[in-house]
Amino acid sequence: MIKQAQLILSIFILSLFSTSSYAHHLMVNNAWIPEAPPVTQVMAGFMTIKNSSNETAEIVSVNSKDFGRIEMHLSKEENGIARMLPQSKLIIPAHGSLKLEHGSYHLMLFKPARRLKDGDTSELVIRLNSGDSFTVEFVVEKSAMQMDHSQHQH
Ligand SMILES: [Cu+2]
């Protein structure tokens, strides 16, 4: 089992180095975009980011050639109404992680430049407060949750 874990770790490190200018102390898992109807003007992006460094990391912007604009949001329920609060940054604590998911922090992807279907991928460029930026490949997947998402207010 130990050997297997080492193998997974070394594959992961290799994949990090294959992405140029990747901030190597950050690890992104489960980056995905729920598929949305063709007419949609807004999609959501989710992922888990782990920070193995001694310093807090802050995501200050996200962009992609696949979207006209990308915002960072936090979903919150106030008096029974689901609202999304735009965030100027997303904080990943030192030796901690941040999970972007339904009902919590997420990326809001406005004006898709092309139709993104189940199985497609989209590259998002994430910029940190340190000035570093790196590209994360998001996978588009069918989701039962997409109905919920359309009910959120912007
Ligand atoms: Cu949102």
Side-chain angles (χ1 to χ4, degrees), residues 58-101:
E58 294 177 3
I59 296 174
V60 293
S61 71
V62 183
N63 58 70
S64 170
K65 60 176 168 41
D66 288 335
F67 299 97
R69 188 173 90 253
I70 298 178
E71 292 181 4
M72 301 175 281
H73 283 182
L74 172 61
S75 290
K76 256 197 171 168
E77 200 165 300
E78 283 172 2
N79 303 320
I81 300 164
R83 294 199 175 281
M84 299 200 200
L85 311 175
Q87 308 287 298
S88 60
K89 59 190 177 186
L90 297 177
I91 295 169
I92 310 124
H95 299 288
S97 64
L98 176 69
K99 193 172 187 184
L100 277 65
E101 60 186 341

Side-chain angles (χ1 to χ4, degrees), residues 42-44 71-75 84-85 106-108 110 149 152-154:
V42 59
M43 300 173 84
E71 292 181 4
M72 301 175 281
H73 283 182
L74 172 61
S75 290
M84 299 200 200
L85 311 175
H106 59 276
L107 300 176
M108 210 83 250
F110 294 96
H149 193 260
H152 285 193
Q153 299 186 0
H154 283 96

